[in-house]
Amino acid sequence: MALTACGRIGFDAVTATTVDGAATDTDSDFDSDGDGVPDSMDNCPTVPNPTQDNEDGDRFGDACDPCPPYPDPDPVIDSDGDGVSDMCDPHPATPGDSIVMFDGFDIGLPSGALVNGNWSIANGIAVVTGALNTFATVTFAPPTGSAETIATHMTLDNLIGSSGRGGGVVHQWDQATSGGAACVVALDDSSAPVYAIVDDATNNVLTSDSVAVADGTAASLVSTRTGQSYHCVSTIDTMALDATDSYTSPTPQIGIYTRSATAHFDWMMIIATQ
């Protein structure tokens, strides 16, 4: 389910109290948010979420979860009090971050996405069947603010061919030219396994580290763009990557992508920083 600017991220959601003489917090059929699910069963009682999607299976539905892909501790740890828990917050000590889109692919590809390539949904996973030297993307117009963050968890099922192939997350994506600045897990043009920040417009590797990459490799990726600066962290490596890239797309998009690879993605999330 896609989450778009629902005002509060809802980690402090509580059961509804009395709103008039006709309903109280003990009424089993009371439905505070009007989504058709009574508060007694609703995992987001104050945010409409009729599908009750819950990627991490914790006590919060995706629509009101302060960190939808990972189970939240009780109590939630949100050091800066901005509604994004520290587990997902790209700036946990500085307020101003908000989750503007999360999708766990429970129903289909997210509404409003620009989709390119052969994508399908199977058991809550977005699957892309790749082709040689071809990009596949699911992207959105970037959020407004001082910084943007894109995160996902992916598995590279089949790396195709002998030139650069892999997948990850991308900023400044230009559909017409296949340009963008991306954080990827890949085999590069010399078939070296890398975790890298790359400029797809010029096909330059801006910074990288050697890691183990093969068919079946899985990794989470979180990439933040602040102006022309990029910062990426991944579960595939203990090292964070930082780079500067001057490329700017005339029609920028942000999202997930692959090149010459068949892969599957468990979820995607976009965070805006004001």
Side-chain angles (χ1 to χ4, degrees), residues 41-101:
M41 300 174 62
D42 199 332
N43 59 21
C44 287
T46 62
V47 178
N49 63 330
T51 62
Q52 298 287 286
D53 294 340
N54 189 355
E55 177 70 20
D56 56 14
D58 67 2
R59 62 196 184 280
F60 306 118
D62 292 345
C64 64
D65 198 321
C67 186
Y70 304 116
D72 296 285
D74 190 5
V76 169
I77 301 172
D78 180 14
S79 299
D80 57 17
D82 61 6
V84 182
S85 78
D86 290 5
M87 292 188 301
C88 277
D89 198 329
H91 311 98
T94 305
D97 295 292
S98 60
I99 300 172
V100 297
M101 197 287 299

Side-chain angles (χ1 to χ4, degrees), residues 165-190:
R165 61 260 195 218
V169 293
V170 64
H171 306 261
Q172 293 290 313
W173 178 252
D174 188 307
Q175 186 66 45
T177 64
S178 298
C183 182
V184 301
V185 174
L187 297 177
D188 67 14
D189 285 345
S190 61

Side-chain angles (χ1 to χ4, degrees), residues 88-160:
C88 277
D89 198 329
H91 311 98
T94 305
D97 295 292
S98 60
I99 300 172
V100 297
M101 197 287 299
F102 177 82
D103 201 294
F105 308 122
D106 292 297
I107 300 175
L109 293 173
S111 175
L114 177 63
V115 179
N116 179 59
N118 185 15
W119 293 84
S120 61
I121 299 296
N123 300 317
I125 295 172
V127 180
V128 58
T129 302
L132 181 65
N133 299 329
T134 300
F135 287 99
T137 57
V138 177
T139 59
F140 291 84
T144 59
S146 62
E148 64 186 34
T149 298
I150 174 71
T152 195
H153 184 273
M154 70 171 188
T155 301
L156 298 172
D157 299 307
N158 183 28
L159 298 164
I160 303 167

Side-chain angles (χ1 to χ4, degrees), residues 30-41:
F30 189 59
D31 181 9
S32 298
D33 55 17
D35 61 4
V37 182
D39 290 358
S40 60
M41 300 174 62

